[in-house]
């Protein structure tokens, strides 16, 4: 009987653990961009949120 009977795609717990380690390293190694460091990305995000909120506000009585 195969040890992978519960894993139809053939992945074993060891293979999944190895993939998890590799992905964790790739995610953790990403350096922040200059836009995040100087705050301009956050400012753009805040402007987008405000614009969406304002688009949702419509006058009820003309």
């Amino acid at each position: 009987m195969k040890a992978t009977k519960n894993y139809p795609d053939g992945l074993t717990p060891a293979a999944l653990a190895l993939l998890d380690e590799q992905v964790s390293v790739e995610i953790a190694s990403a350096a922040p961009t200059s836009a995040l460091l100087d705050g301009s990305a956050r400012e753009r995000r805040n402007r987008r949120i405000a614009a969406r909120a304002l688009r949702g506000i419509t006058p009820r009585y003309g």
Side-chain angles (χ1 to χ4, degrees), residues 18-33:
L18 181 63
L19 285 171
D20 185 41
E21 288 175 21
Q22 291 175 350
V23 169
S24 297
V25 169
E26 289 177 9
I27 291 173
S29 64
T33 63

Side-chain angles (χ1 to χ4, degrees), residues 31-44:
T33 63
S34 61
L36 286 175
L37 294 175
D38 69 9
S40 60
R42 186 176 215 25
E43 291 171 6
R44 287 194 307 271

